[in-house]
Amino acid sequence: MTNLVQKLVAQRSHLLAAVCRRSFHQAASHYRPSGPPKLSPYDVNCILRANEHTQDFVGGSVKCYDSNQLASNSPIEDSRTEGTCVHTSGLLLGIFDGHGGPACSQVISKRLMRYIAASLVPPDDLKVHVKNGAQSHTFINCHNDKLEFVSEIKDIYERSFNLFAHELFNTTLAGFQMHQVLENAFLRLDQDLSKEAIDHPSLRTMSVAMSGAVALVAHIDGPHLHIASVGDCSAVLGTVTDTGQWVAKKLTTEHNSDNVAEVRRLLNEHPATERDTVIRGERLLGQLAPLRAMGDFRYKWTREQLEQLVVPQYGEQVIAPYYLTPPYLTACPEITHHILTPRDKFLILASDGLWDTMSPMQTVHLVGEHMHGKAFLQPLKLPKHEITLGEISQMLSTRKAGLQKKPLDRNAATHLIRNSLGGTEYGVEHSKLSHMLSLPQDIVRLFRDDITITVVYFDSEYLRNCPT
């Protein structure tokens, strides 16, 4: 089994490198920038900043967060949600990267956070809230929520949530375990997506079931940081050492065929006779890159269910070759728990559109520099105590030197996107950035993916004094 796993991983590395090179050269041969940049610096800034959001907090381990996203697909298949739990003292932040369309990503980005937030409420309190008519959205206060479900589908989702809530407060647990809460919320929502498509077949429920999404969720409560991940979004912690050096600590692993343990897990779940067909061409059944995802029931339902529910609408090709012993895909998350310390300065959550072009260490350096340079974007404030002219002169000299390093963007997520698309060894190059932002829709996907980023800043003073 070990030799087979290593062989699959090695094959994928070579094939993926060849495919990437081939795609890039084919795209470059058909489209090259000529003449002056098509977009002015003003145009570039308008595009990059159109979807940015910043949220500040008072008290607690989180000072603020910056988020942003830039589309490649039309419509964008990435989604994001950030919200404060209403009945508990936690902050939830999520990045969701869809495939096969945006439907699953959009739906789970709202519903998963509600399932988690409700699961954190003590059973007796939850029972009171539900009996008093609390709906799913009342358990989390979203900070950047601009969309709502249409009434037809909203009613179905509320019925599913209500059943889930009743099971929560009727279940006796030995003790609270955050790991169990997160895992149960992921799996239960995935089961509900399946049941809704089977019990209420429609264009909307089936589009969610046939598309899929990977998910990355962070829950922060005081010094406790939990990360739950399904798929290939990544979370990176930016930590500073005693000597002032930045360290990038990756808190997630990608669930794809580069992950030896993940490949071994998948092969062990199916008969030895399928060892050459479960992963083909470095993809699940030769089709899907992530080896864990929500939705994607064409890799989870039985063949009989697919023939009855899906084939009449989507055709025989919806059933993958060698589809023998489903399910082949799981929505069970991998969970990491980290206790924050004053050295932990920020957390970067991002879809793979960022990691396609940047390493964790590069992103941490960029955010660290941005964090220090951002101070010079604020108005100069003199201390309240008496100060001499010499001290004022020194402050102005320091500020003048610092202003040369001030970032162009206040939002760190925007700063990362700008550097991701336009960064060179000499800094951000406008012509490169303009080119990447003005690529025609029919080829832009060959050069870049949807990018969604959230950067969370921690309060070092709070973490220095809070109990663990």
Side-chain angles (χ1 to χ4, degrees):
M1 180 67 72
T2 300
N3 291 336
L4 174 61
V5 171
Q6 293 174 340
K7 180 180 177 182
L8 284 169
V9 171
Q11 287 177 343
R12 183 185 192 279
S13 298
H14 291 302
L15 286 173
L16 185 57
V19 169
C20 289
R21 286 195 298 270
R22 199 159 51 241
S23 296
F24 178 82
H25 289 306
Q26 287 174 349
S29 65
H30 286 90
Y31 187 83
R32 295 180 183 277
S34 59
K38 291 184 177 181
L39 301 174
S40 69
Y42 175 82
D43 295 329
V44 166
N45 288 340
C46 288
I47 294 171
L48 291 181
R49 296 170 180 170
N51 297 307
E52 67 181 9
H53 178 78
T54 295
Q55 189 74 32
D56 297 313
F57 299 94
V58 178
S61 57
V62 175
K63 290 196 295 187
C64 63
Y65 71 79
D66 292 336
S67 70
N68 199 355
Q69 61 181 175
L70 180 72
S72 170
N73 294 290
S74 182
I76 187 171
E77 293 183 338
D78 279 8
S79 296
R80 57 179 168 160
T81 299
E82 310 96 30
T84 303
C85 296
V86 173
H87 302 294
T88 56
S89 56
L91 176 67
L92 283 165
L93 309 106
I95 302 285
F96 308 89
D97 186 352
H99 47 263
C104 186
S105 170
Q106 291 175 352
V107 168
I108 67 171
S109 70
K110 296 174 74 70
R111 298 182 67 190
L112 181 58
M113 310 305 252
R114 298 173 181 182
Y115 275 48
I116 295 172
S119 302
L120 295 171
V121 180
D124 290 342
D125 294 342
L126 178 63
K127 186 173 185 178
V128 172
H129 292 311
V130 172
K131 289 195 171 182
N132 287 338
Q135 293 188 308
S136 62
H137 66 88
T138 63
F139 287 89
I140 185 166
N141 177 27
C142 290
H143 303 299
N144 186 31
D145 190 4
K146 300 174 183 176
L147 300 174
E148 188 50 84
F149 298 128
V150 296
S151 58
E152 168 199 342
I153 205 78
K154 182 179 178 180
D155 291 340
I156 295 174
Y157 292 165
E158 281 302 317
R159 286 195 292 272
S160 295
F161 175 83
N162 197 263
L163 287 172
F164 173 58
H166 275 78
E167 290 183 17
L168 287 175
F169 60 68
N170 286 323
T171 300
T172 302
L173 299 177
F176 178 84
Q177 295 290 335
M178 190 65 185
H179 184 285
Q180 290 181 341
V181 166
L182 292 170
E183 182 177 304
N184 186 48
F186 271 73
L187 292 173
R188 178 52 185 263
L189 176 57
D190 200 56
Q191 292 169 11
D192 285 348
L193 296 178
S194 172
K195 190 172 187 301
E196 289 155 4
I198 293 172
D199 294 347
H200 308 280
S202 69
L203 181 60
R204 286 193 173 93
T205 58
M206 198 58 72
S207 65
V208 174
M210 288 299 101
S211 61
V214 299
L216 173 66
V217 173
H219 178 265
I220 307 169
D221 189 359
H224 295 281
L225 167 64
H226 287 85
I227 302 288
S229 175
V230 168
D232 53 10
C233 295
S234 294
V236 174
L237 193 65
T239 301
V240 68
T241 66
D242 288 337
T243 58
Q245 302 298 310
W246 285 109
V247 175
K249 181 176 182 179
K250 197 171 180 186
L251 301 178
T252 52
T253 57
E254 291 77 28
H255 300 128
N256 55 33
S257 56
D258 280 337
N259 184 332
V260 174
E262 188 69 5
V263 171
R264 184 180 292 114
R265 174 195 66 79
L266 184 59
L267 294 178
N268 286 336
E269 291 176 356
H270 298 275
T273 54
E274 293 186 66
R275 64 182 184 178
D276 294 326
T277 58
V278 171
I279 297 179
R280 294 187 304 117
E282 288 56 66
R283 289 172 174 257
L284 181 69
L285 298 176
Q287 296 182 347
L288 189 67
L291 302 184
R292 300 192 197 191
M294 302 189 73
D296 285 316
F297 293 103
R298 58 182 297 193
Y299 306 109
K300 298 173 180 176
W301 284 344
T302 65
R303 176 177 283 272
E304 290 72 21
Q305 286 176 308
L306 291 176
E307 289 174 345
Q308 179 183 353
L309 297 168
V310 185
V311 169
Q313 186 173 350
Y314 292 86
E316 290 285 348
Q317 69 276 8
V318 77
I319 304 179
Y322 306 103
Y323 195 79
L324 304 172
T325 57
Y328 289 92
L329 194 63
T330 180
C332 185
E334 189 169 359
I335 298 166
T336 301
H337 177 215
H338 175 82
I339 297 179
L340 296 167
T341 73
R343 292 181 180 177
D344 299 322
K345 302 303 180 183
F346 53 81
L347 174 70
I348 303 171
L349 309 172
S351 60
D352 65 344
L354 176 67
W355 310 114
D356 286 343
T357 61
M358 284 187 163
S359 69
M361 195 69 248
Q362 286 175 309
T363 63
V364 166
H365 274 300
L366 281 168
V367 175
E369 292 170 359
H370 181 271
M371 184 176 68
H372 291 306
K374 191 176 178 181
F376 295 103
L377 292 173
Q378 307 300 323
L380 177 63
K381 292 183 179 180
L382 296 177
K384 294 181 179 180
H385 60 77
E386 292 185 3
I387 186 170
T388 66
L389 289 175
E391 289 172 327
I392 293 176
S393 177
Q394 181 61 44
M395 289 176 64
L396 291 174
S397 297
T398 302
R399 184 174 177 83
K400 182 178 180 181
L403 285 172
Q404 298 175 1
K405 299 180 180 180
K406 71 176 183 179
L408 186 60
D409 302 295
R410 289 180 179 272
N411 187 296
T414 308
H415 181 67
L416 285 176
I417 295 175
R418 185 184 298 275
N419 280 271
S420 171
L421 300 184
T424 69
E425 56 183 318
Y426 306 107
V428 176
E429 183 181 296
H430 173 69
S431 60
K432 181 182 178 183
L433 193 53
S434 172
H435 169 59
M436 292 298 287
L437 292 176
S438 57
L439 288 168
Q441 188 60 50
D442 58 340
I443 69 166
V444 64
R445 189 63 179 80
L446 297 175
F447 287 83
R448 61 180 177 87
D449 197 358
D450 298 330
I451 302 174
T452 301
I453 306 170
T454 300
V455 180
V456 188
Y457 291 98
F458 300 118
D459 188 325
S460 299
E461 193 61 31
Y462 176 92
L463 292 172
R464 190 171 289 110
N465 299 302
C466 73
T468 58

